[in-house]
């Protein structure tokens, strides 16, 4: 279980002028894992990588980034991995992001939780491919902050 704080801009400031959001990772789901070929393609230009990042947000103080990676060779899929990490946000911190019936998750929090999820996906990829030729596949450094352009707001019914 991962527990921590994500730094955000806001009112209750720490030494760095950021609000601390308390959270814990309480569940890891490997939503999809498949190897589509029998033999690993060879060569430096053998692979392309498609990256997708989505977020699930519940009214129960939970945020779940979903990271999906598709390795391909000449537009033919080689391997796909999709991992979802579920984070429980401290109720007081969730309440601070709630205005009326709308919760707004700052992009900085989303980026931090997404980075944790990408790290977990790296570990899952390693474990699932260890001892196979597909072990050579790696997830390169990914700047998830550049993939998240704005805060996410959602109405809680």
């Amino acid at each position: 279980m991962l527990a921590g704080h994500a730094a955000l801009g806001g009112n209750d400031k720490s030494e760095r002028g950021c609000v601390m959001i308390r959270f814990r990772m309480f569940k890891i789901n490997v939503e999809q894992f498949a190897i589509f070929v029998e033999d690993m393609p060879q060569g430096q230009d053998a692979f392309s990588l498609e990256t997708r990042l989505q977020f699930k947000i519940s009214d129960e103080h939970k945020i779940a980034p979903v990271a999906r990676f598709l390795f391909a060779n000449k537009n033919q899929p080689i391997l796909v991995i999709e991992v979802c990490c579920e984070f429980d946000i401290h109720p007081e911190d969730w309440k601070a992001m709630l205005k009326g019936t709308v919760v707004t998750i700052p992009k900085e929090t989303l980026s931090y939780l997404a980075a944790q999820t990408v790290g977990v996906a790296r570990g899952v990829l390693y474990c699932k491919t260890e001892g196979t030729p597909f072990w050579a596949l790696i997830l390169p450094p990914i700047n998830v902050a550049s993939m998240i352009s704005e805060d996410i707001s959602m109405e809680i019914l």
Side-chain angles (χ1 to χ4, degrees):
M1 174 187 326
L2 174 69
H5 297 82
L8 309 174
N11 296 329
D12 297 330
K13 299 193 178 197
S14 69
E15 295 171 10
R16 296 181 351 188
C18 298
V19 171
M20 303 306 284
I21 299 295
R22 295 165 287 182
F23 66 88
R24 71 180 181 96
M25 182 187 297
F26 70 93
K27 192 170 186 183
I28 296 171
N29 302 303
V30 178
E31 308 227 333
Q32 189 175 18
F33 182 84
I35 297 174
F36 300 105
V37 296
E38 288 186 32
D39 297 315
M40 180 80 145
Q42 301 300 313
Q44 286 184 327
D45 298 326
F47 305 103
S48 62
L49 177 64
E50 176 187 308
T51 303
R52 186 174 1 163
L53 187 59
Q54 298 176 309
F55 293 91
K56 300 175 186 177
I57 300 172
S58 81
D59 59 353
E60 298 173 346
H61 311 164
K62 298 187 179 20
I63 303 171
V66 180
R68 182 179 189 273
F69 304 97
L70 174 65
F71 293 88
N73 174 265
K74 299 177 185 170
N75 295 324
Q76 295 299 315
I78 296 170
L79 182 145
V80 65
I81 181 169
E82 184 174 292
V83 174
C84 175
C85 293
E86 297 182 37
F87 294 90
D88 186 32
I89 307 301
H90 191 282
E92 291 174 14
D93 298 332
W94 183 268
K95 188 176 177 181
M97 295 185 288
L98 192 61
K99 290 196 172 113
T101 59
V102 176
V103 65
T104 300
I105 314 297
K107 67 180 183 175
E108 295 84 2
T109 299
L110 297 169
S111 295
Y112 188 79
L113 299 179
Q116 298 292 319
T117 302
V118 169
V120 168
R122 275 193 184 92
V124 170
L125 179 64
Y126 177 89
C127 289
K128 292 249 185 210
T129 61
E130 188 175 19
T132 75
F134 300 96
W135 183 69
L137 294 173
I138 61 166
L139 290 178
I142 297 170
N143 182 356
V144 293
S146 70
M147 297 173 70
I148 302 167
S149 60
E150 59 189 23
D151 300 347
I152 292 178
S153 295
M154 184 181 103
E155 186 164 12
I156 305 295
L157 302 174

